[in-house]
Amino acid sequence: MIVRQSKFWRGYFVLFTLVTIAGLFWPLLSSLFPQLGLETSLLDFGFSVWATIELLGLYGFMFSRQIGSRNIWKLVFFTSVSFAFYSVYDPLTDFHLEGDGIEFIGIIGTVATAVIVLFVPLWIALYRYAWTERQLWVSRT
């Protein structure tokens, strides 16, 4: 078993695990504390479940474990990238620039930056796990 020894990958794995756990408990927090005004939807829960699937891929990459098949992780990679681009693109289609458009552009820039910082390392890991870790998948019996 090869474990990624880089401090970056270990730190990123811990960060993504914490974000995923927080996302799973978000709907529970919103229902237990309605006075906080936290809004959730079924889509939020779906994104949390999807983040758990992505976390499994990150785990497989980190610890060189075969989870499922390469084709599944290729699909997870493409779907993950598509979700992220949709989450940045969708607000652009729902908003009409009236008045102070600079504020809106700042919000979109912040969301795009957050997506890049949080998800680009995940995409690199999923890509490497599905396409470049061939020795891992060849040894499968």
Side-chain angles (χ1 to χ4, degrees), residues 6 69 75 89 107 121-122 129 137:
S6 164
S69 71
L75 179 64
Y89 173 76
I107 291 169
L122 174 69
Y129 186 53
W137 299 106

Side-chain angles (χ1 to χ4, degrees), residues 38-60:
L38 304 173
E39 294 182 24
T40 60
S41 67
L42 189 57
L43 186 61
D44 293 326
F45 182 72
F47 281 131
S48 297
V49 171
W50 184 254
T52 304
I53 294 169
E54 292 170 328
L55 183 62
L56 277 173
L58 185 59
Y59 176 85

Side-chain angles (χ1 to χ4, degrees), residues 19-90:
V19 168
T20 301
I21 291 169
L24 288 170
F25 286 105
W26 186 262
L28 178 63
L29 285 175
S30 67
S31 64
L32 290 176
F33 303 104
Q35 65 273 21
L36 295 177
L38 304 173
E39 294 182 24
T40 60
S41 67
L42 189 57
L43 186 61
D44 293 326
F45 182 72
F47 281 131
S48 297
V49 171
W50 184 254
T52 304
I53 294 169
E54 292 170 328
L55 183 62
L56 277 173
L58 185 59
Y59 176 85
F61 170 73
M62 287 284 302
F63 296 98
S64 296
R65 299 285 179 131
Q66 298 172 4
I67 301 172
S69 71
R70 287 179 72 189
N71 290 334
I72 289 172
W73 294 109
K74 289 176 183 179
L75 179 64
V76 168
F77 170 78
F78 284 121
T79 306
S80 177
V81 172
S82 299
F83 273 165
F85 280 110
Y86 175 76
S87 68
V88 172
Y89 173 76
D90 186 49

